Amino acid sequence: MGLSIGVLKETLPGERRVAITPKVIDVLTKAGVQVLVETGAGFDSGFTDDDYTARGAKITPSAAAVADAAQILLTVRVPEPAGLVKRGQIVIGLADPLSDPQLPAQYAQAGATLFSLELVPRITRAQSMDVLSSMASIAGYKAVLLAASALPRLFPMMSTAAGTVPPARVLVLGAGVAGLQAIATARRLGAVVSGYDVRAAVKEQIESLGAKFVSITIGASGEGQGGYARALSQREQMAAVLKEQDVVITTAAVPGRKAPILVTRDMVHVMSRGSVIVDLAAERGGNVEVTRPGETIVENGVTVIGPVNLPATVPNHSSQMYGRNIVTFLKNMMTKEGALNIDLNDEITRDSLVVRDGEIVNARVQELLGATLPATS
Ligand code: NAD
């Protein structure tokens, strides 16, 4: 008898994605895997129970029934294990263990095994399993749409009988996966786009998308008192660039750490009234000093949007990509005959494994828990 895999309906408020879509089930059933799907799991992403059944999955009436029957549970947001996950069970999903080490601690207590997809290494072989990249692409795209609909101006230049309007000026701070997608999307909408990143290596990537690379360097000079040149601080340079923008999209992150503040309150105040900031780092504390995660505020006439979980607002395609990523990850741990093989010599398996049979095996999570454990008297 082959492996049995369960797909749970997501329970986090606003989480509309599903861990696998009907389309990728074939990949599993062909390998002899039995797939159990909790009823309604795909509904918010546009997939009915019948869509799953047609691809060979078995619809199961509750999360508890799925967890009872399946050896491995696939999720988007890893749920708390209490009352659901059994001893020896394997759970794969997004657990964010470096921000929330208590969740792995609960899995350890439950005697279960936990793989966290955020920890899949960013190596070429793992690109097709890279959930961070696929979800960042969606977030980058959606951030631009949010900005475009909040902006009281148009993105493209328009020449009409009623006059000509200039294109919007958009600045993207942080040109990783999300930032590059934001640049591409803003360009497609007709904006004049520029991008900035601390990694000078992305200059070419920014330029290849038709955007301008903004250079903010130590030692850059500007005009000082009496017309003499003087060194400008990086903050002054940033403020000068921000002043020119209609839209700023911030995506800067440092893995495992709070996001850096790139735009201070004072910098927001130099921007024109009506301009818009979308802070994609809101969930990690924000790149903008005034951001409030999950809220839209207006600061001195500037709209500051702090979206959380943007991929869940595009659930159909997010689930399609996530499902492909998670199934590829799972297949990497399966033999040709369809048996599970947790091989710790495989870098992808080893790095993403957080808890194994009740033991926390990820050193960074161990460290974090050591630091947060209450002192014993
Ligand atoms: P991320 O989400 O961690 O960070 C986003 C961007 O913010 C990065 O480009 C980073 O340099 C930038 N940043 C950080 N601090 C900053 C600051 N103070 N000011 C301005 N920018 C700042 O990164 P990501 O998008 O997940 O990935 C970053 C890069 O990693 C990618 O562009 C790519 O080159 C590489 N990558 C490689 C693989 C792979 O080989 N499999 C997969 C994904 C990403």
Side-chain angles (χ1 to χ4, degrees):
M1 166 94 183
L3 275 180
S4 56
I5 286 178
V7 179
L8 298 176
K9 182 169 167 53
E10 296 296 313
T11 53
L12 200 84
E15 184 50 78
R16 298 169 64 204
R17 292 171 290 178
V18 60
I20 62 173
T21 60
K23 211 171 172 183
V24 291
I25 286 182
D26 289 357
V27 180
L28 296 171
T29 48
K30 270 185 203 145
V33 175
Q34 189 195 19
V35 181
L36 304 149
V37 177
E38 182 182 347
T39 184
F43 201 72
D44 287 348
S45 315
F47 308 108
T48 64
D49 286 355
D50 287 347
D51 294 335
Y52 284 100
T53 311
R55 295 288 186 144
K58 184 171 173 230
I59 295 298
T60 309
S62 65
V66 174
D68 268 351
Q71 289 161 275
I72 301 176
L73 298 176
L74 302 184
T75 66
V76 177
R77 299 300 187 101
V78 168
E80 291 190 356
L84 181 72
V85 176
K86 294 176 299 183
R87 188 162 287 279
Q89 200 156 37
I90 297 169
V91 177
I92 306 173
L94 296 171
D96 201 8
L98 301 181
S99 303
D100 179 17
Q102 293 305 328
L103 188 60
Q106 291 173 22
Y107 272 80
Q109 229 166 18
T113 292
L114 173 65
F115 286 97
S116 193
L117 294 175
E118 294 100 333
L119 302 182
V120 167
R122 311 297 284 275
I123 55 173
T124 308
R125 186 167 66 88
Q127 268 177 2
S128 53
M129 312 170 200
D130 189 344
V131 169
L132 291 183
S133 286
S134 47
M135 296 302 112
S137 300
I138 291 172
Y141 156 84
K142 193 66 194 271
V144 174
L145 300 193
L146 291 182
S149 57
L151 189 71
R153 297 164 66 91
L154 294 167
F155 259 45
M157 185 178 98
M158 257 188 219
S159 297
T160 73
T164 298
V165 296
R169 283 151 307 173
V170 175
L171 171 69
V172 176
L173 297 176
V177 179
L180 290 172
Q181 191 58 244
I183 289 174
T185 306
R187 285 280 302 144
R188 278 183 217 121
L189 285 179
V192 171
V193 186
S194 44
Y196 166 72
D197 199 291
V198 273
R199 294 181 299 129
V202 297
K203 179 174 186 283
E204 255 172 53
Q205 284 169 292
I206 291 173
E207 288 173 350
S208 72
L209 292 169
K212 184 176 155 226
F213 179 73
V214 172
S215 171
I216 293 179
T217 50
I218 298 169
S221 60
E223 195 178 304
Q225 263 186 351
Y228 290 108
R230 68 175 180 92
L232 292 178
S233 72
Q234 284 170 288
R235 281 183 169 221
E236 284 174 312
Q237 293 174 57
M238 181 66 87
V241 176
L242 290 170
K243 209 175 165 182
E244 303 297 317
Q245 309 302 323
D246 297 303
V247 168
V248 176
I249 293 174
T250 65
T251 77
V254 181
R257 293 227 211 115
K258 193 178 171 299
I261 296 280
L262 304 183
V263 180
T264 61
R265 186 184 296 270
D266 288 350
M267 291 180 196
V268 174
H269 287 206
V270 303
M271 292 178 66
S272 319
R273 298 186 74 79
S275 52
V276 175
I277 301 177
V278 179
D279 188 349
L280 272 190
E283 267 165 289
R284 301 261 167 217
N287 291 140
V288 183
E289 192 180 352
V290 298
T291 294
R292 292 209 207 117
E295 289 182 35
T296 297
I297 59 154
V298 178
E299 173 77 25
N300 199 41
V302 178
T303 301
V304 183
I305 306 174
V308 291
N309 202 6
L310 275 186
T313 66
V314 192
N316 185 278
H317 276 156
S318 291
S319 302
Q320 187 179 312
M321 293 189 201
Y322 186 93
R324 182 67 64 184
N325 291 147
I326 200 169
V327 166
T328 313
F329 175 83
L330 182 62
K331 280 215 80 187
N332 185 55
M333 290 197 296
M334 284 168 56
T335 63
K336 277 200 189 86
E337 294 72 38
L340 188 70
N341 174 30
I342 299 182
D343 175 9
L344 296 187
N345 291 317
D346 183 314
E347 187 182 356
I348 298 171
T349 306
R350 188 178 61 237
D351 285 7
S352 53
L353 183 60
V354 183
V355 183
R356 183 168 200 186
D357 291 326
E359 193 195 333
I360 293 177
V361 293
N362 180 287
R364 286 156 81 196
V365 176
Q366 275 172 355
E367 229 172 83
L368 287 169
L369 283 169
T372 55
L373 281 179
T376 45
S377 54

